[in-house]
Amino acid sequence: MTVSLDTLKKQNADTSNALIEHWAESPPFAKLAAYEGNLTTSRDQEDAEKLQKGIDFAKSKGVIDPDYVPEPYVKLDVLGQTPDAVASKIIQQVKSASAEGDDEAASKGSVIVLCGLSGTGKGTTVSKLREKLEGEEGKQVVTWSNGNIFRSVTYLAATWCEQNGCDGFDAEKALTKENLASYISMLSFGKFGEGEGEYDTRIHGLGLDMYVSKVQNTELKSPKVSKNIPTVAQVTQGEVILFAADAVKTLGDAGRVVLLEGREQTVNYVRTPHRFTLMLSDESLIGKRRAAQRLMAAALPALDDGATEEAVGEALEASLTKLVAEIDEQS
């Protein structure tokens, strides 16, 4: 199978599927896919362990209920299915649950939680869900991520260090139980602005007064945030989880459909009957998808707009050869 420039330019699931089919019998691609699959699995496991430490710490502090039991998840095998088909299936499940009559989502809004290992297509599925819910269902859709809340707390902690004469970021002094409670109290979620306003998170304290939507790509991505967020996240999982749960409930009660993507340990604490876990019955596809993503990104810059399928094939092969060589150098 050949790959066209138009397909390569999409840089999406269609491109990934085309490349996987293109290299179906290729030993070098199989080697890269196995490497990427192992790397992704190891990273997921490492992240899960770190996250669980944060959750256990929050439970030990009494921030979150150790006996909390979330609503059950619906497992969806996405093998061989397009993101469009997966999104349609999720929407149908949500409609069915609402039609049973005891679900407030029918008259208010709803919260749809999406989990799954890296490589199962969560991000693409969320994009398709938003597209369908807004375009076909006429819903007001919001995607929520806890990332900006962790960044906001980190920004406040770094600012506290600056104002208190610390030598750089002093986690021991800045992240006391009292300080963490203070930082969280400086965050509020609601409607801000003129008229009816827009939903946003406000950071108000330590002389700061800003809105996350305005600073998420500037101050909240500054070096003092980026390099310290892992340290802060480990001790604020519980606080951020509860803040997010309240914010998401506010949005749902206001008639919004909230799409919440994340790991089960954190999204468990958001009350909703609409929980889905994406899975692949053939987990080797995780590595193949990741390998395809790296290859499509590496090959495209080397091609002109008028590149032929032969030129595309050569660029892809060159990228594959280079990435496999890098693996061999690490061995």
Side-chain angles (χ1 to χ4, degrees):
M1 175 187 172
T2 57
V3 179
S4 69
L5 181 61
D6 286 342
T7 299
L8 187 62
K9 280 184 173 180
K10 289 182 179 180
Q11 297 281 300
N12 62 10
D14 291 340
T15 314
S16 293
N17 292 335
L19 295 188
I20 291 170
E21 186 176 349
H22 175 69
W23 277 308
E25 304 298 328
S26 167
F29 181 76
K31 183 174 185 176
L32 178 62
Y35 173 83
E36 292 294 338
N38 290 335
L39 196 64
T40 300
T41 301
S42 297
R43 190 185 304 118
D44 271 358
Q45 183 61 37
E46 183 180 344
D47 288 347
E49 290 172 358
K50 289 180 180 178
L51 180 56
Q52 191 58 50
K53 286 182 180 178
I55 297 294
D56 291 341
F57 181 64
K59 289 179 179 179
S60 70
K61 291 192 298 181
V63 176
I64 54 179
D65 182 0
D67 300 318
Y68 181 94
V69 178
E71 297 86 346
Y73 285 81
V74 175
K75 290 186 177 181
L76 296 177
D77 188 355
V78 299
L79 183 65
Q81 298 191 57
T82 65
D84 190 90
V86 175
S88 294
K89 187 173 292 187
I90 290 173
I91 291 172
Q92 188 54 50
Q93 292 257 15
V94 172
K95 284 182 176 180
S96 296
S98 300
E100 290 177 2
D102 196 29
D103 183 6
E104 292 186 355
S107 58
K108 291 186 176 181
S110 57
V111 179
I112 301 174
V113 165
L114 207 59
C115 300
L117 295 174
S118 297
T120 52
K122 298 187 300 298
T124 308
T125 301
V126 165
S127 296
K128 280 293 179 184
L129 277 169
R130 180 163 198 158
E131 179 184 313
K132 285 178 170 293
L133 287 165
E134 289 181 337
E136 299 175 14
E137 305 291 331
K139 302 291 187 180
Q140 289 182 291
V141 181
V142 178
T143 54
W144 177 272
S145 170
N146 288 347
N148 279 335
I149 307 305
F150 283 117
R151 288 182 176 277
S152 298
V153 177
T154 305
Y155 190 83
L156 286 165
T159 300
W160 184 92
C161 288
E162 293 169 352
Q163 294 178 355
N164 286 273
C166 297
D167 183 15
F169 189 86
D170 191 326
E172 185 175 351
K173 292 180 180 178
L175 304 181
T176 63
K177 183 177 180 180
E178 293 75 20
N179 277 353
L180 290 177
S182 178
Y183 303 149
I184 293 295
S185 73
M186 297 174 191
L187 302 180
S188 57
F189 182 81
K191 279 191 172 185
F192 301 99
E194 297 179 1
E196 293 187 2
E198 296 290 337
Y199 282 105
D200 207 339
T201 299
R202 184 185 186 188
I203 304 171
H204 190 204
L206 299 180
L208 303 171
D209 192 0
M210 54 182 65
Y211 297 93
V212 166
S213 66
K214 305 295 185 184
V215 297
Q216 60 185 348
N217 293 318
T218 52
E219 281 91 340
L220 296 190
K221 287 191 176 178
S222 63
K224 72 178 184 181
V225 172
S226 299
K227 66 183 180 181
N228 294 310
I229 194 171
T231 302
V232 174
Q234 192 167 350
V235 296
T236 56
Q237 288 291 343
E239 289 85 352
V240 170
I241 285 169
L242 295 182
F243 181 90
D246 285 343
V248 167
K249 183 179 185 301
T250 297
L251 289 166
D253 288 348
R256 306 297 198 274
V257 175
V258 185
L259 303 179
L260 179 60
E261 174 195 345
R263 293 186 176 275
E264 287 190 17
Q265 295 109 308
T266 57
V267 297
N268 277 348
Y269 291 86
V270 174
R271 281 294 184 198
T272 176
H274 310 306
R275 300 180 182 275
F276 301 89
T277 300
L278 304 189
M279 54 168 288
L280 282 163
S281 51
D282 177 7
E283 291 193 355
S284 70
L285 193 57
I286 291 175
K288 291 176 182 177
R289 285 180 171 179
R290 179 57 186 152
Q293 288 167 354
R294 292 194 65 192
L295 287 162
M296 70 171 82
L300 186 59
L303 296 165
D304 297 326
D305 281 342
T308 63
E309 289 187 354
E310 181 180 1
V312 171
E314 290 173 356
L316 287 169
E317 288 297 335
S319 298
L320 178 58
T321 299
K322 180 181 179 182
L323 291 179
V324 171
E326 290 176 359
I327 294 173
D328 291 337
E329 289 175 4
Q330 296 173 23
S331 302

